[in-house]
Amino acid sequence: MSEDTRSETYAELAAVGPYGVRPGHALITMVEPHPGHEYAYNRWYEDDHYYAGAMAMPWMYSGRRWVATRDLQLLRYPEKSAIAQPVTAGCYLSTYWITAGRYADHMRWTVAINKRLNRDARVYQDRTHVFTAFQDHEATVYRDGAAGPRDFHALDHPYAGLVVEVIDADSPEQRAELLEWLRTRHLPKRLAGSPAAMVTVFRPTPLPLDRMSYVKQVEGVDTRLTLLWFLEVDPRECWEGHFTDLGTAVGAASTSGSAAGGLGRVELVAPFVPTVPGTDRHVAELR
């Protein structure tokens, strides 16, 4: 046993607490490297931060990086987004699953390790966090029922694309209605026969008060939902006909089925493709 790393304590920790595979929580972080820093940022994230700042942490058991090349950025909407200003900002996205029931344990570690990384000059400063939030899992809707990968496989399965959809409701009560409509009516209908195999739905949680100063506090904690659409084809191949009218659909939704009112406002619909780990593929296509 090494006293420096308290190895004996690890054996005690392994015997207590939840240790299932369900993604009870997620970290979803969309970041914009500053102009001229695209390659350096990508190498830092690929070679160091993805591991030291994420995957090496307790209870963060699955992760994947995604990228939006310039042509994908230009597909985003709405033009006036509450998430990204301009809506094209945030060309890199990282998604991570955290074991259900382990959010507090993970947060204690992640705040501490990021402070240490920052002290050791292992945090890349020439970047802007456009949309970064830890989120709680609310629902997963599958296209093929019990067949195919589950949500806990989603970040390891070789999906060809991802669409991020962020919806804001006017109140916590309206968000509950929105979630029910998404889960029981909208998403099953949209997924049927589509190139999307599943949609995971999350709600954001507040960041801790001792978070790193370069990450802004989460907005819309009581009113926002984040949807991740996992695609079996490149989003460019299915954008028209599958994703261009999500804002209209949500804006017209109601619990009674009428077109009056609407249950929320779509504030971002953004397509991505997966990065290729260890490479600079797509970096030259960001601007």
Side-chain angles (χ1 to χ4, degrees):
M1 183 191 76
S2 169
E3 291 183 359
D4 292 339
T5 59
R6 305 184 189 179
S7 297
E8 192 173 78
T9 307
Y10 284 80
E12 297 174 14
L13 293 174
V16 298
Y19 67 122
V21 300
R22 190 173 68 83
H25 322 275
L27 170 60
I28 302 170
T29 173
M30 191 167 72
V31 172
E32 180 74 9
H34 296 170
H37 293 265
E38 295 85 359
Y39 280 94
Y41 168 79
N42 188 58
R43 288 271 45 86
W44 164 75
Y45 208 107
E46 286 286 310
D47 298 342
D48 190 13
H49 198 62
Y50 178 83
Y51 302 102
M55 295 307 299
M57 296 191 200
W59 308 114
M60 185 171 270
Y61 67 89
S62 186
R64 195 162 194 190
R65 291 188 75 212
W66 312 82
V67 61
T69 53
R70 186 60 181 171
D71 59 332
L72 289 170
Q73 296 167 33
L74 294 174
L75 295 176
R76 295 180 181 181
Y77 65 89
E79 183 179 356
K80 293 183 178 180
S81 168
I83 307 300
Q85 300 89 35
V87 72
T88 52
C91 56
Y92 278 107
L93 179 80
S94 295
T95 51
Y96 302 98
W97 291 166
I98 299 167
T99 302
R102 289 294 191 170
Y103 177 75
D105 296 336
H106 175 78
M107 289 306 297
R108 292 288 297 273
W109 188 286
T110 192
V111 169
I113 199 66
N114 276 287
K115 287 182 177 180
R116 182 181 180 186
L117 290 168
N118 197 53
R119 287 196 305 267
D120 292 344
R122 286 174 63 182
V123 173
Y124 198 85
Q125 301 295 346
D126 289 298
R127 56 171 176 156
T128 298
H129 280 265
V130 177
F131 178 62
T132 293
F134 284 88
Q135 312 220 12
D136 287 343
H137 179 259
E138 284 286 1
T140 300
V141 181
Y142 297 100
R143 181 191 61 199
D144 303 323
R150 304 291 87 191
D151 50 13
F152 47 84
H153 300 125
L155 303 184
D156 296 305
H157 187 79
Y159 286 113
L162 179 78
V163 174
V164 179
E165 180 183 6
V166 181
I167 310 173
D168 282 346
D170 288 332
S171 67
E173 294 76 19
Q174 190 183 58
R175 184 176 70 175
E177 295 180 24
L178 171 65
L179 176 63
E180 182 65 12
W181 175 79
L182 288 167
R183 186 179 62 81
T184 62
R185 296 170 58 185
H186 177 65
L187 294 179
K189 180 179 179 181
R190 282 289 181 136
L191 285 170
S194 85
M198 73 177 82
V199 180
T200 58
V201 185
F202 293 89
R203 57 177 174 85
T205 60
L207 287 170
L209 296 178
D210 55 352
R211 71 191 185 279
M212 300 307 294
S213 60
Y214 50 79
V215 181
K216 66 182 180 180
Q217 186 54 273
V218 175
E219 300 172 346
V221 168
D222 296 323
T223 54
R224 181 166 287 172
L225 292 174
T226 304
L227 284 65
L228 303 180
W229 299 70
F230 289 90
L231 309 183
E232 295 177 326
V233 302
D234 187 302
R236 284 163 284 216
E237 297 178 21
C238 61
W239 195 248
E240 296 291 335
H242 287 285
F243 292 102
T244 55
D245 66 338
L246 291 180
T248 303
V250 172
S254 74
T255 52
S256 64
S258 69
L263 291 176
R265 304 175 308 283
V266 169
E267 293 291 356
L268 182 68
V269 179
F272 293 84
V273 293
T275 62
V276 179
T279 76
D280 290 320
R281 188 173 296 184
H282 302 305
V283 176
E285 306 167 58
L286 299 179
R287 307 303 182 194

